[in-house]
Amino acid sequence: MKTTPRVLSGIQPTGKLHLGNYLGALKNWVAMQDEFPHECYYCIVDLHAVTAPYKPEQFKQNVFDTALDFLAAGLNPEKSAIFIQSHVTEHVELMWLLNTLAPLGLLERMTQFKDKKKQRQAEAVNAGLFNYPVLMAADILIYKATAVPVGDDQLQHLELTRELARKFNHAFGETFPEPEARLTKGARIMSLTNPDNKMSKSDVEKSYVTLDEEPDRIKSKLKKAVTDTGAAGETGPGARNLLTILGVIHPASVPDFEKQAKQGTIRYSDLKTHLAEKLAEYLGPFRARRAELASKPKEVWDLLDTGKEKAAKIAQATLVEVKEKMGFV
Ligand code: TYM
């Protein structure tokens, strides 16, 4: 099957992005955009975001914040189509069609759905949450994407996407490539306050570091990070998480701390101070670019429109092909 190597990924506009979003996913988005010969589609998945309780009056700001984070992280609108998911309505139509191929049993087994179902009051467990992975599959398949840069918590959703591609191809003829996940090194960043859970925007503020966090706040958040939950003589998950982050942003200083950890002489306060300094340096250029972009909102909204035009062309063509193959009049 002849396909253009394409990349698609998305992030929910549920607030400012954090270190986990960047180190787990966004960093790879930027890298893949600069890799020849990919064509990249990156979207702000607002339709996914409304499966959780949210404030309508804050929604537009959240979308804008996410766009700023994308651009400040290095996404280049000249190279990648950057757009808002709900602006390309074909995603939703394809989702409906894919729903007819998605076995209930498979959706019920999705870990994220099961986790959210456990965490939420029964009335907040809506059908959108259940169908969330099918919309994600439609986001990917509508561009016939071959590679999807995500964090490892999304691998199960990717597997479902591959399954739906296979089912469609089998039933209606070869149409979709089976997309592959692209993980970053150190793909999962954990919460600072509860290192058994992943860093998450829906958690308390002190559990994550946003990409535009001020150096003082980085320092105070890291100071309070949990580091002592491991068995005696072992590096606990909290300290390991800090070393993972350091390993990505300043690998040269990791061996020293690892050696000290082995010898049992490591002082976690030193590790935290050092990581806070390196993080502030690492995120400094990001903060500056973000502040500059925030002062030009029209430019940002305009480029989301341009991204939409680019994306819609491909999405429309795929949907026509899909409906033809499915026998629609
Ligand atoms: P979201 O917004 O929850 O997460 C966006 C991306 O950030 C990654 N991520 C992390 N990586 C490492 N450590 C963490 N603590 C961490 N927290 C989040 C996620 O793996 C993800 O890559 N369902 C998707 C959104 C989506 C999507 C798509 C992705 C909708 N349609 C199509 C790819 C393709 C999600 O988890 O969003």
Side-chain angles (χ1 to χ4, degrees), residues 9-10 12 20-21 25 48 132 136 139 150-151 153-154 187 189 199:
S9 201
Q12 301 185 67
N21 296 129
H48 278 106
Y132 180 113
M136 179 163 159
D139 294 338
V150 279
D153 59 332
Q154 296 302 306
I189 305 300
M199 185 175 279

Side-chain angles (χ1 to χ4, degrees), residues 54-60:
Y54 74 105
K55 295 197 175 81
E57 65 281 9
Q58 211 180 301
F59 205 31
K60 186 172 179 184

Side-chain angles (χ1 to χ4, degrees), residues 240-289:
R240 271 206 306 279
N241 187 39
L242 300 187
L243 286 169
T244 301
I245 299 172
L246 190 59
V248 183
I249 66 161
H250 197 258
S253 46
V254 172
D256 244 9
F257 285 108
E258 270 176 348
K259 198 166 132 203
Q260 292 166 22
K262 256 197 205 120
Q263 293 167 343
T265 56
I266 188 165
R267 283 171 32 144
Y268 291 132
S269 55
D270 291 347
L271 171 61
K272 290 173 176 183
T273 312
H274 180 72
L275 180 58
E277 267 167 30
K278 291 297 164 201
L279 254 183
E281 271 170 34
Y282 186 81
L283 296 176
F286 175 93
R287 253 198 332 277
R289 270 198 304 274

Side-chain angles (χ1 to χ4, degrees), residues 98 101-103 106-107 109-110 137 141 155-171 176-179:
L98 294 177
L101 297 172
L106 256 188
L107 294 182
R109 280 205 293 279
M110 292 292 123
L141 297 180
L155 290 180
Q156 200 185 25
H157 291 163
L158 243 292
E159 203 38 64
L160 175 83
T161 306
R162 294 161 62 84
E163 170 88 24
L164 292 176
R166 280 195 293 274
K167 276 183 177 288
F168 188 95
N169 293 345
H170 183 72
F176 298 119
E178 284 182 39

